[in-house]
Amino acid sequence: MQNFFNSGIAITGSGSAVPTTRLHNQELTQLVETSDEWIASRTGIRQRRLALPPDSLTSLATAASQQAITAAGITAADIDLILLATSTPDDLFGTACRVQGELGATKAVAFDLTAACSGFVFGLVTAAQYLRTGVYQNVLLIGADILSRWVDWQDRRSCVLFGDGAGAVILQANQSDRLLGFCLKSDGSQNNCLNLAYNASSTELAPDIHVSTGKYHPITMNGKEVYRFAVQKVPEVIDKALFAANLKVENIDWLVLHQANQRIINSVAERLEIPEHKIISNVADYGNTSAASIPLALDEAVRAGKIKPNDIIATSGFGAGLSWGAAIFQWGR
């Protein structure tokens, strides 16, 4: 049923979940030629969480969602739509419906959204359109990834970066619109900079009929190009989102970037002239958790009492595609 009375959105609750297993930098030195100092000085990462059986994307996403639902003061039965931003589903056909089933969100339509490390921001803007048009009233947005499934643990350029986790938020129809501005971008000409590519082999079914079968390569990344891309494009897209919101940098209370690399976070903040005390970062503890990183950092800051109702948050996701985007929103109703 459509309801055009509430034409805005509010983000009313958050949650997060991470596996219990920690992999510290020192332990990685047993796998590849590296050191804690080398990793920490270049990335800011000290440890990451790894999903081991019986952990799954479904279990992490469900646990984060349950926290968000409770924080928002609603029930799973109230949810109209579930968006799961992930690049690492338990099932290639999608995992959102499994999460719907685990939650008992019986009236919710559910589907996956794939935009890699930009997934949460892209999902936030997508969810907002359903709410602003009055199609739905309560949306569960999840960012979750288990990148350890696809890491080459002999490649020190990439294996030191990634971790596993999930974060979730509840978005609700609201009379005042708390999503103040956004900007989304893609550039497929740089697609080869960061990939989790299909690894095809040929299988003959009949004479002159060969089909492609196979698995996937591990994650490959041109770290220098991705770094250059991020420090240039992220400040630009945040500026565009601020312009759409009719706000200035000084109006930002908190900067919550995709937790890819502490040097990227610091560089973006410096270019925007955002002081250090306004930066939310947990990359040291979790590494790069892809679509999970922003909602995971957001939820920790909310539960720690840093982010309070009406605070203005600037967030940006960036990564494979290449894709990037920014959103400016106020926390709470």
Side-chain angles (χ1 to χ4, degrees), residues 26-311:
Q26 191 60 40
E27 293 168 291
L28 280 170
T29 65
Q30 309 303 310
L31 299 175
V32 292
E33 184 180 346
T34 189
S35 68
D36 175 60
E37 190 279 332
W38 189 91
I39 299 168
S41 64
R42 286 162 176 77
T43 70
I45 300 167
R46 294 288 184 180
Q47 64 176 6
R48 68 285 296 144
R49 301 294 183 97
L50 300 185
L52 307 181
D55 292 327
S56 66
L57 192 84
T58 302
S59 65
L60 292 174
T62 300
S65 299
Q66 288 168 334
Q67 289 184 11
I69 290 166
T70 299
I74 62 173
T75 69
D78 297 316
I79 298 171
D80 303 301
L81 171 65
I82 298 172
L83 293 178
L84 172 58
T86 187
S87 300
T88 57
D90 291 333
D91 182 335
L92 196 57
F93 288 158
T95 296
C97 289
R98 290 181 63 179
V99 175
Q100 183 240 30
E102 290 293 321
L103 291 172
T106 53
K107 77 171 184 177
V109 63
F111 61 89
D112 290 21
L113 182 154
T114 302
C117 301
S118 303
F120 182 79
V121 173
F122 279 40
L124 179 67
V125 174
T126 301
Q129 310 316 307
Y130 286 101
L131 293 165
R132 284 173 166 174
T133 56
V135 174
Y136 297 129
Q137 300 294 299
N138 301 294
V139 178
L140 167 62
L141 170 61
I142 312 160
D145 271 303
I146 299 181
L147 290 176
S148 62
R149 292 171 170 171
W150 302 106
V151 167
D152 178 356
W153 293 102
Q154 301 305 310
D155 179 6
R156 77 167 187 167
R157 297 169 301 175
S158 61
C159 76
V160 303
L161 300 175
F162 300 108
D164 306 333
V169 295
I170 295 292
L171 298 93
Q172 295 184 275
N174 200 55
Q175 285 183 282
S176 63
D177 199 345
R178 313 289 268 182
L179 178 58
L180 306 177
F182 66 86
C183 182
L184 305 180
K185 296 286 186 178
S186 299
D187 182 3
S189 70
Q190 297 189 74
N191 178 261
N192 63 347
C193 291
L194 181 52
N195 300 105
L196 204 172
Y198 181 62
N199 182 15
S201 61
S202 180
T203 299
E204 184 177 0
L205 299 183
D208 299 322
I209 300 177
H210 295 76
V211 296
S212 173
T213 61
K215 300 180 181 178
Y216 287 86
H217 288 284
I219 295 168
T220 59
M221 181 174 66
N222 184 327
K224 288 183 179 179
E225 287 302 317
V226 171
Y227 181 90
R228 186 179 295 115
F229 145 76
V231 298
Q232 176 187 350
K233 297 297 186 181
V234 173
E236 290 178 2
V237 81
I238 291 175
D239 273 337
K240 290 179 185 296
L242 283 168
F243 181 80
N246 196 28
L247 294 174
K248 297 181 179 179
V249 170
E250 306 88 80
N251 299 123
I252 296 172
D253 293 305
W254 300 104
L255 178 67
V256 186
L257 297 181
H258 165 49
Q259 305 289 295
N261 181 309
Q262 189 62 49
R263 290 169 63 199
I264 293 175
I265 295 170
N266 292 344
S267 294
V268 171
E270 287 171 10
R271 291 196 180 201
L272 291 170
E273 298 185 353
I274 294 175
E276 186 177 350
H277 70 269
K278 291 186 175 184
I279 300 171
I280 300 294
S281 174
N282 63 3
V283 69
D285 295 325
Y286 301 107
N288 180 344
T289 57
S290 190
S293 77
I294 291 172
L296 179 57
L298 178 71
D299 181 57
E300 282 199 338
V302 169
R303 293 179 186 273
K306 287 184 176 181
I307 294 177
K308 296 179 172 59
N310 298 318
D311 280 356

